[in-house]
Amino acid sequence: MKRRVVITGLGVVSPIGNGKETFWQSLCAGKSGISKITSFDALQYSSKIAGEVKDFDPSAYMLPKDIKHSDRFTQFAVGAACMAVDDAGIDLTKIDLCKAGSIIGSGIGGIHTIEREHKVLLSKGPSRVSPFFIPMLIVNMASGMVAIRLGLKGPNTCSVTACASSNHSIGEAFRVVQNGYADIMFAGGSEAAISPMAVSGFCAAKALSTTNDIPQEASRPFDKHRNGFVMAEGAGIVLLEEYERAKKRKAYIYAELIGYGMSCDAYHMTAPDPDGKGAVRCMQEALKDARIRSEDVDYINAHGTSTVLNDAMETKAIKAVFGGHASRTAVSSTKSMTGHLLGAAGGIELAACALSVSRGVITATINYKYPDPECDLDYVPNEARKKQVNIAMSNSLGFGGHNATIIIKKV
């Protein structure tokens, strides 16, 4: 018999604030975290805006030598995991750490390290490249460093599935706890790709918004005049715990994770299948896993990127899965405020879902001004809404056609 799995801790590093409460208050207030890029000179770029993390101090969570030998995406992951420990009120010295693990994904990994060391190679030669170059850039190092920092000796891996990386990581961690391979798992994603190379790559792919003059209005999912996503950075990590164990230690339970689905479009490197068939199968698999009907879902945290293709496709897919209930289901996009955290997006979006279930508030899709005939659902426009949420669904749809859906419910 499979075990029940609940969320007992949240850790968030984001463009709209670090830590659960700051993040949540910003979401409820409809605050945008998008501004002009400050980490490098973006004057020549078609997109000059991003959701940068501010006021994050890695020394609060890591030793100086570990900070020096860690890429920014790893620092975010360690910080968010430590926040989740504090939020859960769990004493890791009193548990079997061989039954505790970590699955933390990233879409790109240590690109800051790659760019810096490439400059060293060209200017000073191969002998001057850092011996920490490889361990700093590899994507699994975020999960590895979280395990080292917290002493986790159980299952440890990572998902690298572009913008679906977090949801795949959380879904796989769900399976690990559900089947008894571990009792607690840290799961989610981390990303720090606001760098000259990464931004230029997404600009070249014409994926980014060019609304540079009004940055806070650039990410506008489902709006008729949306013109691309806005890159962002950060980390979102949830602490998953076996239900009976959490209950025994009287932990606060945000929600129970009840369903996980995944699929692939098998269609195109960057564009989604316009018919949404892959997204449809993904949501249907998650509903089947959760053993619920589509009409049981109160709220969908959409992938909602603010690109022309994704938002129309996701709307079509939701209609196909939910039928007549689609128009009665609240759908909103956290990315309207945070921007798109790529591989970390699903992590902070599941944290937002858990808080919606816990606190009875659905956060808004801000910057929604002009309805698009192809996007005609209830997107909770511009203002958060008080509403009891018993069951919430979170979608993540990545380049390569990777799709992952998570479903949680109130306990």
Side-chain angles (χ1 to χ4, degrees), residues 49-89:
I49 55 178
E52 294 176 315
V53 168
K54 303 172 184 66
D55 302 322
F56 176 77
D57 179 6
S59 67
Y61 313 101
M62 304 173 74
L63 296 172
K65 68 178 180 62
D66 292 329
I67 295 171
K68 183 179 179 181
H69 297 149
S70 294
D71 191 271
R72 184 171 169 84
F73 89 106
T74 297
Q75 296 172 12
F76 286 163
V78 173
C82 291
M83 291 177 195
V85 171
D86 291 341
D87 187 47

Short mmCIF file of all heavy atoms in Angstrom, two decimals, residues 49-89:
data_model
loop_
_atom_site.label_atom_id
_atom_site.label_comp_id
_atom_site.label_asym_id
_atom_site.label_seq_id
_atom_site.Cartn_x
_atom_site.Cartn_y
_atom_site.Cartn_z
N ILE A 49 15.25 43.31 -19.77
CA ILE A 49 14.55 43.22 -18.49
C ILE A 49 14.60 41.79 -17.96
O ILE A 49 14.79 40.83 -18.72
CB ILE A 49 13.08 43.65 -18.65
CG1 ILE A 49 12.41 42.82 -19.76
CG2 ILE A 49 12.99 45.13 -18.97
CD1 ILE A 49 10.95 43.13 -19.97
N ALA A 50 14.42 41.65 -16.65
CA ALA A 50 14.43 40.31 -16.05
C ALA A 50 13.91 40.40 -14.62
O ALA A 50 13.77 41.50 -14.05
CB ALA A 50 15.86 39.73 -16.05
N GLY A 51 13.67 39.23 -14.05
CA GLY A 51 13.29 39.14 -12.64
C GLY A 51 14.50 38.70 -11.84
O GLY A 51 14.74 37.51 -11.65
N GLU A 52 15.27 39.66 -11.37
CA GLU A 52 16.49 39.36 -10.62
C GLU A 52 16.17 39.21 -9.13
O GLU A 52 15.35 39.93 -8.58
CB GLU A 52 17.53 40.46 -10.81
CG GLU A 52 18.05 40.54 -12.25
CD GLU A 52 19.02 41.71 -12.46
OE1 GLU A 52 18.71 42.82 -11.98
OE2 GLU A 52 20.05 41.50 -13.10
N VAL A 53 16.87 38.28 -8.49
CA VAL A 53 16.76 38.12 -7.04
C VAL A 53 17.56 39.22 -6.35
O VAL A 53 18.71 39.48 -6.72
CB VAL A 53 17.28 36.73 -6.60
CG1 VAL A 53 17.45 36.66 -5.09
CG2 VAL A 53 16.32 35.64 -7.09
N LYS A 54 16.95 39.83 -5.37
CA LYS A 54 17.61 40.92 -4.63
C LYS A 54 17.73 40.53 -3.16
O LYS A 54 16.93 39.78 -2.62
CB LYS A 54 16.81 42.21 -4.78
CG LYS A 54 16.60 42.64 -6.24
CD LYS A 54 15.63 43.80 -6.34
CE LYS A 54 15.35 44.15 -7.80
NZ LYS A 54 14.64 43.08 -8.54
N ASP A 55 18.73 41.05 -2.52
CA ASP A 55 18.90 40.90 -1.07
C ASP A 55 19.05 39.45 -0.63
O ASP A 55 18.62 39.08 0.46
CB ASP A 55 17.71 41.53 -0.32
CG ASP A 55 17.54 43.00 -0.66
OD1 ASP A 55 18.57 43.69 -0.81
OD2 ASP A 55 16.39 43.45 -0.79
N PHE A 56 19.67 38.63 -1.47
CA PHE A 56 19.96 37.24 -1.05
C PHE A 56 21.41 37.18 -0.59
O PHE A 56 22.33 37.51 -1.35
CB PHE A 56 19.74 36.27 -2.20
CG PHE A 56 20.12 34.85 -1.85
CD1 PHE A 56 19.29 34.08 -1.06
CD2 PHE A 56 21.32 34.31 -2.29
CE1 PHE A 56 19.64 32.78 -0.71
CE2 PHE A 56 21.69 33.02 -1.95
CZ PHE A 56 20.85 32.25 -1.15
N ASP A 57 21.61 36.75 0.64
CA ASP A 57 22.96 36.66 1.21
C ASP A 57 23.30 35.19 1.46
O ASP A 57 22.82 34.60 2.44
CB ASP A 57 23.01 37.45 2.51
CG ASP A 57 24.39 37.39 3.17
OD1 ASP A 57 25.33 36.83 2.55
OD2 ASP A 57 24.53 37.89 4.29
N PRO A 58 24.11 34.57 0.61
CA PRO A 58 24.42 33.14 0.79
C PRO A 58 25.14 32.84 2.09
O PRO A 58 25.11 31.70 2.57
CB PRO A 58 25.27 32.80 -0.43
CG PRO A 58 25.83 34.11 -0.89
CD PRO A 58 24.80 35.14 -0.57
N SER A 59 25.80 33.85 2.67
CA SER A 59 26.54 33.59 3.91
C SER A 59 25.61 33.26 5.08
O SER A 59 26.07 32.78 6.12
CB SER A 59 27.42 34.80 4.27
OG SER A 59 26.63 35.91 4.62
N ALA A 60 24.34 33.50 4.91
CA ALA A 60 23.37 33.11 5.94
C ALA A 60 23.16 31.60 5.97
O ALA A 60 22.61 31.07 6.95
CB ALA A 60 22.04 33.83 5.71
N TYR A 61 23.61 30.91 4.90
CA TYR A 61 23.32 29.48 4.78
C TYR A 61 24.55 28.62 4.49
O TYR A 61 24.50 27.40 4.61
CB TYR A 61 22.30 29.25 3.65
CG TYR A 61 21.13 30.18 3.72
CD1 TYR A 61 21.04 31.31 2.89
CD2 TYR A 61 20.10 29.96 4.63
CE1 TYR A 61 19.96 32.18 2.97
CE2 TYR A 61 19.02 30.83 4.72
CZ TYR A 61 18.96 31.93 3.88
OH TYR A 61 17.90 32.80 3.97
N MET A 62 25.65 29.24 4.08
CA MET A 62 26.81 28.47 3.63
C MET A 62 28.10 29.05 4.21
O MET A 62 28.18 30.25 4.49
CB MET A 62 26.90 28.49 2.09
CG MET A 62 25.66 28.01 1.37
SD MET A 62 25.74 28.24 -0.43
CE MET A 62 26.90 26.97 -0.92
N LEU A 63 29.10 28.18 4.33
CA LEU A 63 30.42 28.63 4.76
C LEU A 63 31.09 29.39 3.61
O LEU A 63 30.82 29.11 2.43
CB LEU A 63 31.27 27.42 5.14
CG LEU A 63 30.78 26.61 6.34
CD1 LEU A 63 31.62 25.34 6.49
CD2 LEU A 63 30.84 27.45 7.61
N PRO A 64 32.01 30.33 3.93
CA PRO A 64 32.67 31.11 2.87
C PRO A 64 33.34 30.25 1.79
O PRO A 64 33.26 30.56 0.60
CB PRO A 64 33.71 31.92 3.66
CG PRO A 64 33.10 32.07 5.02
CD PRO A 64 32.37 30.79 5.28
N LYS A 65 33.98 29.15 2.19
CA LYS A 65 34.66 28.32 1.18
C LYS A 65 33.65 27.63 0.25
O LYS A 65 33.92 27.42 -0.93
CB LYS A 65 35.56 27.27 1.86
CG LYS A 65 34.82 26.20 2.63
CD LYS A 65 35.80 25.20 3.22
CE LYS A 65 35.09 24.10 4.02
NZ LYS A 65 34.20 23.28 3.21
N ASP A 66 32.49 27.29 0.78
CA ASP A 66 31.45 26.66 -0.05
C ASP A 66 30.80 27.68 -0.99
O ASP A 66 30.43 27.34 -2.11
CB ASP A 66 30.40 26.00 0.84
CG ASP A 66 30.94 24.79 1.57
OD1 ASP A 66 31.85 24.13 1.03
OD2 ASP A 66 30.47 24.51 2.69
N ILE A 67 30.66 28.91 -0.50
CA ILE A 67 30.12 29.96 -1.38
C ILE A 67 31.07 30.19 -2.55
O ILE A 67 30.67 30.27 -3.71
CB ILE A 67 29.92 31.26 -0.57
CG1 ILE A 67 28.86 31.07 0.50
CG2 ILE A 67 29.54 32.41 -1.51
CD1 ILE A 67 28.74 32.23 1.47
N LYS A 68 32.37 30.26 -2.22
CA LYS A 68 33.38 30.51 -3.26
C LYS A 68 33.37 29.43 -4.33
O LYS A 68 33.64 29.70 -5.51
CB LYS A 68 34.77 30.59 -2.60
CG LYS A 68 35.89 30.92 -3.56
CD LYS A 68 37.23 31.00 -2.81
CE LYS A 68 38.36 31.30 -3.79
NZ LYS A 68 39.67 31.34 -3.08
N HIS A 69 33.07 28.19 -3.93
CA HIS A 69 33.12 27.06 -4.86
C HIS A 69 31.74 26.62 -5.34
O HIS A 69 31.55 25.47 -5.74
CB HIS A 69 33.85 25.89 -4.19
CG HIS A 69 35.27 26.20 -3.85
ND1 HIS A 69 35.94 25.65 -2.78
CD2 HIS A 69 36.16 27.05 -4.44
CE1 HIS A 69 37.17 26.12 -2.74
NE2 HIS A 69 37.34 26.97 -3.73
N SER A 70 30.76 27.53 -5.27
CA SER A 70 29.40 27.19 -5.73
C SER A 70 28.89 28.26 -6.68
O SER A 70 29.03 29.46 -6.43
CB SER A 70 28.44 27.10 -4.53
OG SER A 70 28.77 26.03 -3.69
N ASP A 71 28.26 27.80 -7.75
CA ASP A 71 27.60 28.73 -8.67
C ASP A 71 26.38 29.34 -7.96
O ASP A 71 25.86 28.80 -6.99
CB ASP A 71 27.15 27.98 -9.93
CG ASP A 71 26.69 28.91 -11.03
OD1 ASP A 71 25.49 29.26 -11.06
OD2 ASP A 71 27.54 29.30 -11.86
N ARG A 72 25.93 30.45 -8.52
CA ARG A 72 24.79 31.16 -7.92
C ARG A 72 23.55 30.26 -7.83
O ARG A 72 22.81 30.32 -6.85
CB ARG A 72 24.48 32.40 -8.78
CG ARG A 72 23.38 33.31 -8.26
CD ARG A 72 23.38 34.60 -9.10
NE ARG A 72 22.23 35.45 -8.89
CZ ARG A 72 22.12 36.36 -7.90
NH1 ARG A 72 23.10 36.50 -7.03
NH2 ARG A 72 21.04 37.12 -7.79
N PHE A 73 23.31 29.38 -8.81
CA PHE A 73 22.11 28.52 -8.75
C PHE A 73 22.20 27.53 -7.59
O PHE A 73 21.18 27.19 -6.98
CB PHE A 73 21.86 27.81 -10.09
CG PHE A 73 22.53 26.48 -10.27
CD1 PHE A 73 21.80 25.31 -10.20
CD2 PHE A 73 23.88 26.40 -10.51
CE1 PHE A 73 22.40 24.06 -10.38
CE2 PHE A 73 24.51 25.17 -10.70
CZ PHE A 73 23.77 24.00 -10.63
N THR A 74 23.40 27.09 -7.25
CA THR A 74 23.57 26.21 -6.11
C THR A 74 23.36 26.96 -4.79
O THR A 74 22.75 26.44 -3.85
CB THR A 74 24.97 25.57 -6.15
OG1 THR A 74 25.07 24.77 -7.32
CG2 THR A 74 25.23 24.70 -4.93
N GLN A 75 23.84 28.19 -4.74
CA GLN A 75 23.63 29.00 -3.53
C GLN A 75 22.14 29.22 -3.28
O GLN A 75 21.68 29.14 -2.13
CB GLN A 75 24.35 30.34 -3.68
CG GLN A 75 25.86 30.21 -3.79
CD GLN A 75 26.53 31.54 -4.13
OE1 GLN A 75 25.93 32.60 -4.08
NE2 GLN A 75 27.80 31.46 -4.50
N PHE A 76 21.39 29.50 -4.34
CA PHE A 76 19.94 29.66 -4.19
C PHE A 76 19.32 28.38 -3.63
O PHE A 76 18.45 28.42 -2.75
CB PHE A 76 19.28 29.97 -5.53
CG PHE A 76 19.51 31.36 -6.07
CD1 PHE A 76 19.27 31.65 -7.41
CD2 PHE A 76 19.93 32.39 -5.24
CE1 PHE A 76 19.45 32.92 -7.91
CE2 PHE A 76 20.13 33.68 -5.73
CZ PHE A 76 19.89 33.95 -7.08
N ALA A 77 19.73 27.23 -4.16
CA ALA A 77 19.15 25.95 -3.74
C ALA A 77 19.42 25.68 -2.26
O ALA A 77 18.51 25.28 -1.52
CB ALA A 77 19.70 24.82 -4.60
N VAL A 78 20.65 25.90 -1.84
CA VAL A 78 20.99 25.67 -0.43
C VAL A 78 20.20 26.62 0.46
O VAL A 78 19.65 26.21 1.51
CB VAL A 78 22.50 25.83 -0.21
CG1 VAL A 78 22.83 25.75 1.28
CG2 VAL A 78 23.28 24.76 -0.98
N GLY A 79 20.09 27.88 0.05
CA GLY A 79 19.32 28.85 0.83
C GLY A 79 17.86 28.44 0.96
O GLY A 79 17.29 28.45 2.06
N ALA A 80 17.25 28.04 -0.16
CA ALA A 80 15.83 27.66 -0.12
C ALA A 80 15.61 26.39 0.71
O ALA A 80 14.61 26.27 1.43
CB ALA A 80 15.32 27.45 -1.55
N ALA A 81 16.54 25.44 0.61
CA ALA A 81 16.41 24.20 1.40
C ALA A 81 16.50 24.49 2.89
O ALA A 81 15.75 23.93 3.70
CB ALA A 81 17.48 23.20 0.97
N CYS A 82 17.42 25.37 3.27
CA CYS A 82 17.55 25.75 4.70
C CYS A 82 16.28 26.46 5.17
O CYS A 82 15.83 26.25 6.31
CB CYS A 82 18.77 26.63 4.90
SG CYS A 82 20.34 25.78 4.70
N MET A 83 15.70 27.29 4.30
CA MET A 83 14.43 27.94 4.66
C MET A 83 13.33 26.90 4.88
O MET A 83 12.52 27.03 5.80
CB MET A 83 13.99 28.89 3.53
CG MET A 83 14.86 30.11 3.35
SD MET A 83 14.24 31.08 1.93
CE MET A 83 15.63 32.17 1.64
N ALA A 84 13.30 25.87 4.05
CA ALA A 84 12.29 24.82 4.18
C ALA A 84 12.45 24.06 5.50
O ALA A 84 11.46 23.69 6.14
CB ALA A 84 12.37 23.86 2.99
N VAL A 85 13.71 23.84 5.91
CA VAL A 85 13.96 23.18 7.20
C VAL A 85 13.39 24.02 8.34
O VAL A 85 12.66 23.52 9.21
CB VAL A 85 15.47 22.96 7.41
CG1 VAL A 85 15.75 22.47 8.84
CG2 VAL A 85 16.02 21.96 6.41
N ASP A 86 13.70 25.30 8.33
CA ASP A 86 13.21 26.19 9.39
C ASP A 86 11.69 26.25 9.38
O ASP A 86 11.04 26.24 10.43
CB ASP A 86 13.79 27.60 9.21
CG ASP A 86 15.29 27.64 9.48
OD1 ASP A 86 15.80 26.70 10.13
OD2 ASP A 86 15.94 28.60 9.03
N ASP A 87 11.12 26.35 8.17
CA ASP A 87 9.67 26.47 8.06
C ASP A 87 8.96 25.21 8.58
O ASP A 87 7.89 25.30 9.20
CB ASP A 87 9.29 26.72 6.59
CG ASP A 87 7.82 27.03 6.43
OD1 ASP A 87 7.30 27.86 7.21
OD2 ASP A 87 7.18 26.44 5.54
N ALA A 88 9.57 24.06 8.33
CA ALA A 88 8.96 22.78 8.76
C ALA A 88 9.17 22.52 10.24
O ALA A 88 8.50 21.65 10.81
CB ALA A 88 9.55 21.64 7.94
N GLY A 89 10.09 23.26 10.87
CA GLY A 89 10.36 23.02 12.28
C GLY A 89 10.88 21.62 12.55
O GLY A 89 10.58 21.02 13.59
#
